[in-house]
Amino acid sequence: METFPVVNMEMLNTEKRAAALEKIKDACENWGFFEVINHGISHDLLDTVEKFTKEHYKKCMEQRFKEMVASKGLEAVQTEIDDLDWESTFFLKHLPVSNISEVPDLEDDYRKIMKEFADKLEKLAEQLLDLLCENLGLEQGYLKKVFYGSKGPTFGTKVSNYPPCPKPDLIKGLRAHTDAGGIILLFQDDKVSGLQLLKDGKWIDVPPMRHSIVINLGDQLEVITNGKYKSVEHRVIAQPDGNRMSLASFYNPGSDAVIYPAPELLEKEEKENTIMYPKFIFEDYMKLYAGLKFQAKEPRFEAMKAVETAVNLGPIATI
């Protein structure tokens, strides 16, 4: 059985750099996911984020979730539920403008630590995008520039808890989908599992690993790489025991960023039947995605082709 790819980022500063880059390249081409360790975010910071997140759920969200379950009669369902997810969530925006000071019920120390966490993740996301550029043969900074738009990238964190579920065979923690955006960085529970990805027609567990960050690629990187890298379907299986914590941070293009296959990659394509992905404004794609998240991505790409935005694409502005 294939082993889920784990990349030790310290190797990038050693004579093993080429092997680490190759592992990332293989993961992007064949998995759409990989896990990074020794990524530069301190264990103390991760432990503090986990502590505050779990305390906040217990104090502010657990009772609300139980009331929602009771109001919908979910504990007694007899048939599969396909229109909701067994999760309790809130969302923090970091870029272009932070909303951390405005989200209700957060303790000041939690706000402070999440801001620090977001700053570290932003740097890691940009480092990873440059590693992808290196593997793709694109100039350093290319992906960051494409994502930039007029106001910089969009960056936010979905903070989720997946409580114990009495009917895990009938209710998903999170239904299968691909992510719409750019690069996703996940800090997940290291004790309670549940995240799975679809590979070669089979669902494969993403292993919980203490202090690691799970990376996955969104639809925009599939478009920019002209399908060389793929966004991959994934889901969360609800568990009968244990509360699973998940902090997924989405480093996405700015709302007005124009997304299209990198011309440099198209020049390298020698296949006659080159797959051409559409050109569009990221915000337009997100409007479409909002109603079609839990459906296949291919019709979304086709729909964007049909309404391909007529924009004048000059050279990408440098930051």
Side-chain angles (χ1 to χ4, degrees), residues 258-270:
V258 180
I259 304 300
Y260 56 99
E264 205 173 332
L265 293 183
L266 295 182
E267 288 166 15
K268 292 175 186 174
E269 293 275 353
E270 293 177 0

Side-chain angles (χ1 to χ4, degrees), residues 147-163:
F147 279 26
Y148 205 78
S150 65
K151 302 181 190 126
T154 309
F155 185 43
T157 300
K158 179 186 174 189
V159 181
S160 306
N161 281 271
Y162 297 91

Side-chain angles (χ1 to χ4, degrees), residues 10-21:
E10 282 185 346
M11 286 172 58
L12 292 163
N13 300 317
T14 71
E15 71 283 357
K16 296 179 179 174
R17 179 181 176 83
L21 283 169

Side-chain angles (χ1 to χ4, degrees), residues 274-290:
T274 303
I275 302 169
M276 286 296 292
Y277 284 75
K279 178 176 74 180
F280 52 83
I281 294 170
F282 179 61
E283 187 175 35
D284 292 341
Y285 187 85
M286 290 305 291
K287 286 173 185 170
L288 181 72
Y289 179 85

Side-chain angles (χ1 to χ4, degrees), residues 231-249:
S231 61
V232 167
E233 212 172 320
H234 52 285
R235 68 184 184 182
V236 176
I237 298 298
Q239 304 289 353
D241 304 300
N243 183 60
R244 176 177 176 266
M245 176 201 75
S246 159
L247 291 93
S249 297

Side-chain angles (χ1 to χ4, degrees), residues 1-2 4 30-31 33 176 195-206 232-235 237:
M1 185 179 156
E2 292 180 279
F4 186 85
N30 298 307
W31 290 79
F33 272 76
L195 179 62
Q196 296 182 329
L197 65 91
L198 190 63
K199 187 175 191 299
D200 302 326
K202 294 177 185 171
W203 288 104
I204 296 174
D205 291 327
V206 176
V232 167
E233 212 172 320
H234 52 285
R235 68 184 184 182
I237 298 298

